[in-house]
Amino acid sequence: MRKGHRPSKPQGGRPRFWGRHAVLAALANPARRAIHLWGTREALARVQLPPALPVTYADGADLGRLVPRDAPHQGLVLEVEPLEDIWLSELLDQGRDDRRPLLVLDQVTDPHNVGAILRSAAAFDALGIVTQDRHAPPESGTIARAASGALETVPWARVVNLARALDEIAEAGFWRIALTGEVEATLAEVMGTARIALVLGAEGEGLRHNSAVHCDERARLPISPKIESLNVSNAAAVALYAVTTR
């Protein structure tokens, strides 16, 4: 039986991806439904086009009108259907027989940060990311661009209640570590040998109390006092490296 952490309902319409990495990764993903591709002749000449995909040749100025201002489209814009949501229980089942870390994001709303975290998750072979459905950005060209293809390969589970989701993650055998700068213990000191779920808080506000109390440990990254904190995407990358190399 699936537990009560349903995937999110669709947010908004069809996203448009831009840039070579994001577009090619989406076209290569069998789970992704591509709707329409626009591109310059030069850029499209280097793309293996799916036979049934509608394609429109356009110049750079026309492409610029399809995406946010100054978006680096690199001659390619692709309209897609959002990926089907994955249930948290399905994600946890995928990692049942391995030790890949899991990332839990508590109201991280900046799409650039979410995209960068997806990219780090792919680089360090994380099991996936977990976010709330109401306090996380939907799929977008900005996320796809920042993720550099990882949006297509890293599972993303959206849940209604993050505290209950953290309880389910613990039941699956993960040691939940909340990253915060307000404690003495470092990540290396609390990791142990269990499978790890890293829990990171929002930009500025940090981790919410209700999320922190549903973790097994709180830990900080041993950064220099010359800087107050790391950006959440940088912190995720450093923490994933630490977990992977312990």
Side-chain angles (χ1 to χ4, degrees):
M1 292 285 293
R2 287 173 172 167
K3 300 209 173 183
H5 305 301
R6 64 167 176 80
S8 63
K9 294 183 178 179
Q11 302 182 52
R14 292 169 174 165
R16 286 178 179 170
F17 296 168
W18 61 82
R20 184 170 178 81
H21 286 298
V23 169
L24 294 185
L27 290 175
N29 183 3
R32 173 77 73 182
R33 184 184 171 209
I35 303 299
H36 197 111
L37 176 64
W38 294 265
T40 63
R41 291 189 178 277
E42 181 183 6
L44 289 172
R46 300 194 297 269
V47 177
Q48 186 173 354
L49 299 173
L53 177 64
V55 175
T56 299
Y57 290 89
D59 60 26
D62 290 334
L63 296 177
R65 287 187 279 271
L66 297 174
V67 297
R69 185 177 180 181
D70 297 327
H73 55 69
Q74 297 178 302
L76 294 171
V77 177
L78 179 67
E79 186 173 78
V80 299
E81 291 283 2
L83 292 173
E84 290 190 15
D85 287 302
I86 181 172
W87 288 74
L88 176 60
S89 57
E90 293 173 341
L91 177 59
L92 296 174
D93 283 344
Q94 289 179 13
R96 181 173 48 192
D97 298 323
D98 61 54
R99 291 173 54 80
R100 287 177 290 168
L102 184 64
L103 286 168
V104 182
L105 308 183
D106 183 16
Q107 299 192 354
V108 177
T109 57
D110 187 323
H112 295 91
N113 281 334
V114 174
I117 289 169
L118 284 165
R119 186 172 184 174
S120 294
F124 292 104
D125 196 26
L127 175 60
I129 70 169
V130 180
T131 68
Q132 285 181 291
D133 57 355
R134 291 187 180 181
H135 300 285
E139 283 190 14
S140 68
T142 300
I143 288 180
R145 171 75 180 180
S148 193
L151 178 59
E152 309 301 322
T153 60
V154 177
W156 180 351
R158 296 174 183 264
V159 300
V160 175
N161 187 300
L162 201 61
R164 288 202 299 268
L166 285 166
D167 288 342
E168 185 175 348
I169 289 167
E171 291 171 10
F174 284 87
W175 189 247
R176 303 160 300 176
I177 301 177
L179 288 182
T180 174
E182 301 170 352
V183 295
E184 289 299 319
T186 65
L187 178 59
E189 293 169 341
V190 305
M191 277 194 294
T193 59
R195 298 158 68 200
I196 290 178
L198 296 166
V199 187
L200 296 99
E203 308 89 349
E205 293 83 4
L207 198 67
R208 293 177 301 155
H209 175 74
N210 194 43
S211 299
V213 298
H214 282 82
C215 293
D216 301 293
E217 295 277 5
R218 301 185 195 188
R220 63 178 177 87
L221 297 176
I223 63 174
S224 164
K226 296 176 182 178
I227 190 73
E228 182 180 352
S229 64
L230 289 176
N231 173 279
V232 63
S233 63
N234 293 332
V238 172
L240 281 170
Y241 173 79
V243 172
T244 303
T245 58
R246 61 178 162 157

